[in-house]
Amino acid sequence: MTERQQRIVKNVDIHRQMILDAERWLWQHPQTGYTEWEAHAYLKEKFEMLGYVLNEAGNIPGFYTDLDTGKTGPMLCVMGELDALDIANHPESVNGMTHCCGHHGQGAALLGIAAALKEPGALEGLCGKIRLMAVPAEELIQLGYREELRQKGIIKYFGGKPEFMARGYFDGVDLSLMTHGGATLGEDIYDFRCNASHNGCIAKRMTYKGKAAHAGGSPNRGINAQYAAMLGIQACNDLRETFVDAETVRFHPIMLGVKSAVNIIPDEMKIESYVRGKTIEAIKRENKKINRALTGAALAMGCELELTDRPGYSPEYEDPRFMKLVEQCCIDLVGNDRVAFNYSGHSTGSSDFGDVTMVMPGVQFTAMGAVGTGHGVDYCVKDADRLCVNSAKAQLFVVEALLSNNAEAAKEIISEYKPQYPSIQDFLNELDGFIMDKNAVVYDENGNATVDFQKI
């Protein structure tokens, strides 16, 4: 560990108790995407006590603040996420919500980073700017609620990071960094992990519309929307063997339930799902097949079908040069045997950090310290020092490695990076191309059907 790194460790350790207190407070106050006002207010108060001036999103939670080293150089964005998950059966759930994906640990680590950067001499030898950002709504859930926000003009995108991109909060940013909380079910031998890529996804809502009737006395007069939905899901399941294994396609629908009594033929059934894949091309292609299968089921049952497709999250690609720098920083902190970076590894989960990597180099790595199943009822924090305190130290090691020595490391990463899109606006235009609202099956007075299930 260098003398500079030793100073970073000391600066974080000065604020260790504040970080641990933040981890517990945020764990105990979970809220889902675009409603995280409690976490927003808590972190806002702490940041302002440290002397930061915040740029708040205003009508949604989240903020950013810039720290200027006083020397010309690139801008690095370091992020933490605010949102929790709906998981009412978790033993520590609050109002049906829990931080069983570790985002609360990111917020605590971000606060520790902010505090350490205010210590005397913390910016010495660095150049450029550091943007600290608290971002809402990473978990792509409650699609109906987010669509309401979109219709009201409050948000444009379901994910917090593309929404922040659209609001201009990433303008001027040259590269981005964040950690995610990891959990283990088995032997806990690593402190930091990272895969090279992650799936992207499309977000979907499907509404089958039938006709209500007495379920016992006159079911022949009804059209069962629930049966149509079940048939549609089965048709999609039967497509699974057509998915290319290397493209890691996933389709995982949930039926949202009927709003009628048990003796009434259900006249409506809503479904939410994603179509995930390793590339945008695979997502588009397989989503078209999924929509065709869902439409066929509606035709078979005589139902109408409304299809709503929205941009989900882009495939995530960790820049290998940046990833190598982060790996070395983690090794410097905890040792080679406690770090596992897989340069060919791929995760089939999705994150809106992938949207960021479409336009700039970025790395999202995992800080361990929790046990159980991610998104599961057994998830809990076992070691907050590893999850939050070590996470803050590792990220600050990365800040130092990127922005010291006239930011030569950062400049090399930036110059060698080949973005998927030439600008944020070009990328957002691509996202808008995923938006689709279709009455996929409509019948005339004679029962003839008009079918339209794809965007052309």
Side-chain angles (χ1 to χ4, degrees), residues 390-409:
N390 271 8
S391 171
K393 293 174 181 176
Q395 290 178 83
L396 283 167
F397 277 22
V398 175
V399 171
E400 192 270 337
L402 288 169
L403 301 184
S404 63
N405 299 317
N406 198 34
E408 292 301 328

Side-chain angles (χ1 to χ4, degrees), residues 153-209:
I154 296 173
I155 64 171
K156 189 171 183 181
Y157 300 105
F158 287 0
K161 295 181 192 67
E163 178 64 22
F164 271 27
M165 292 168 79
R167 293 181 180 220
Y169 302 165
F170 282 89
D171 290 356
V173 174
D174 296 295
L175 64 175
S176 290
L177 173 74
M178 64 175 290
T179 61
H180 200 286
T184 180
L185 283 168
E187 189 178 6
D188 190 6
I189 61 173
Y190 297 113
D191 288 310
F192 299 106
R193 309 183 69 122
C194 188
N195 282 321
S197 59
H198 301 255
N199 270 4
C201 66
I202 257 183
K204 303 181 66 64
R205 280 174 63 86
M206 299 77 78
T207 303
Y208 285 93
K209 293 188 173 182

Side-chain angles (χ1 to χ4, degrees), residues 137-402:
E138 188 275 336
E139 301 292 352
L140 191 55
I141 60 174
Q142 298 175 331
L143 303 184
Y145 170 67
R146 298 192 190 187
E147 180 62 18
E148 289 178 11
L149 294 181
R150 198 184 79 89
Q151 294 292 339
K152 292 176 182 177
I154 296 173
I155 64 171
K156 189 171 183 181
Y157 300 105
F158 287 0
K161 295 181 192 67
E163 178 64 22
F164 271 27
M165 292 168 79
R167 293 181 180 220
Y169 302 165
F170 282 89
D171 290 356
V173 174
D174 296 295
L175 64 175
S176 290
L177 173 74
M178 64 175 290
T179 61
H180 200 286
T184 180
L185 283 168
E187 189 178 6
D188 190 6
I189 61 173
Y190 297 113
D191 288 310
F192 299 106
R193 309 183 69 122
C194 188
N195 282 321
S197 59
H198 301 255
N199 270 4
C201 66
I202 257 183
K204 303 181 66 64
R205 280 174 63 86
M206 299 77 78
T207 303
Y208 285 93
K209 293 188 173 182
K211 182 179 179 182
H214 194 293
S218 54
N220 55 296
R221 296 183 181 178
I223 300 174
N224 196 312
Q226 178 174 267
Y227 287 173
M230 293 166 64
L231 189 62
I233 290 173
Q234 182 59 52
C236 294
N237 286 337
D238 291 341
L239 287 173
R240 292 183 190 276
E241 66 181 18
T242 72
F243 300 156
V244 178
D245 290 346
E247 293 179 335
T248 58
V249 175
R250 300 287 188 271
F251 177 69
H252 43 86
I254 57 168
M255 298 171 67
L256 300 183
V258 298
K259 296 180 179 179
S260 63
V262 68
N263 60 353
I264 299 173
I265 296 292
D267 63 348
E268 183 176 277
M269 175 60 74
K270 295 181 183 292
I271 304 172
E272 288 186 357
S273 188
Y274 309 161
V275 173
R276 304 185 196 247
K278 194 171 185 178
T279 66
I280 289 177
E281 292 74 19
I283 294 167
K284 287 181 175 179
R285 183 182 65 248
E286 303 309 321
N287 183 61
K288 189 180 297 185
K289 288 161 59 176
I290 291 291
N291 283 346
R292 185 187 65 204
L294 295 167
T295 301
L299 279 170
M301 293 298 298
C303 277
E304 296 181 359
L305 172 63
E306 294 178 357
L307 293 174
T308 302
D309 286 351
R310 295 289 180 263
Y313 298 156
S314 299
E316 180 177 329
Y317 305 111
E318 320 300 331
D319 178 74
R321 293 176 184 82
F322 194 176
M323 190 173 164
K324 191 67 178 177
L325 181 145
V326 174
E327 180 185 28
Q328 186 58 57
C329 289
C330 292
I331 290 171
D332 290 346
L333 180 64
V334 298
N336 187 71
D337 60 338
R338 303 289 299 178
V339 177
F341 276 46
N342 187 339
Y343 290 83
S344 61
H346 179 74
S347 167
T348 53
S350 306
S351 166
D352 58 356
F353 191 78
D355 296 302
V356 177
T357 68
M358 292 289 103
V359 296
M360 69 182 69
V363 172
Q364 176 179 205
F365 65 109
T366 299
M368 308 303 288
V371 296
T373 306
H375 292 212
V377 296
D378 58 344
Y379 182 99
C380 66
V381 176
K382 181 181 180 182
D383 190 338
D385 272 298
R386 292 169 63 211
L387 182 71
C388 306
V389 180
N390 271 8
S391 171
K393 293 174 181 176
Q395 290 178 83
L396 283 167
F397 277 22
V398 175
V399 171
E400 192 270 337
L402 288 169

Side-chain angles (χ1 to χ4, degrees), residues 17-242:
Q17 192 57 53
M18 180 186 68
I19 297 170
L20 298 179
D21 289 346
E23 184 275 326
R24 278 298 85 191
W25 194 96
L26 293 167
W27 173 267
Q28 294 162 2
H29 296 80
Q31 292 176 299
T32 51
Y34 292 126
T35 71
E36 314 99 313
W37 291 110
E38 289 184 323
H40 173 102
Y42 179 87
L43 290 174
K44 174 185 175 181
E45 178 184 6
K46 301 296 184 184
F47 269 73
E48 290 180 339
M49 287 175 61
L50 291 167
Y52 286 94
V53 177
L54 305 185
N55 297 279
E56 298 180 69
N59 58 353
I60 58 173
F63 59 81
Y64 72 89
T65 184
D66 290 341
L67 202 58
D68 194 335
T69 66
K71 298 178 182 179
T72 302
M75 181 185 290
L76 168 66
C77 182
V78 182
M79 285 174 273
E81 295 163 344
L82 298 174
D83 57 325
L85 283 160
D86 279 322
I87 183 163
N89 290 333
H90 193 287
E92 296 185 58
S93 70
V94 178
N95 298 321
M97 297 170 286
T98 317
H99 273 295
C100 57
C101 204
H103 292 184
H104 73 296
Q106 298 174 27
L110 187 68
L111 178 59
I113 292 167
L117 287 172
K118 286 291 187 178
E119 288 298 313
L123 300 180
E124 182 181 325
L126 304 183
C127 68
K129 295 180 180 179
I130 304 162
R131 177 162 291 180
L132 304 178
M133 183 179 289
V135 193
E138 188 275 336
E139 301 292 352
L140 191 55
I141 60 174
Q142 298 175 331
L143 303 184
Y145 170 67
R146 298 192 190 187
E147 180 62 18
E148 289 178 11
L149 294 181
R150 198 184 79 89
Q151 294 292 339
K152 292 176 182 177
I154 296 173
I155 64 171
K156 189 171 183 181
Y157 300 105
F158 287 0
K161 295 181 192 67
E163 178 64 22
F164 271 27
M165 292 168 79
R167 293 181 180 220
Y169 302 165
F170 282 89
D171 290 356
V173 174
D174 296 295
L175 64 175
S176 290
L177 173 74
M178 64 175 290
T179 61
H180 200 286
T184 180
L185 283 168
E187 189 178 6
D188 190 6
I189 61 173
Y190 297 113
D191 288 310
F192 299 106
R193 309 183 69 122
C194 188
N195 282 321
S197 59
H198 301 255
N199 270 4
C201 66
I202 257 183
K204 303 181 66 64
R205 280 174 63 86
M206 299 77 78
T207 303
Y208 285 93
K209 293 188 173 182
K211 182 179 179 182
H214 194 293
S218 54
N220 55 296
R221 296 183 181 178
I223 300 174
N224 196 312
Q226 178 174 267
Y227 287 173
M230 293 166 64
L231 189 62
I233 290 173
Q234 182 59 52
C236 294
N237 286 337
D238 291 341
L239 287 173
R240 292 183 190 276
E241 66 181 18
T242 72

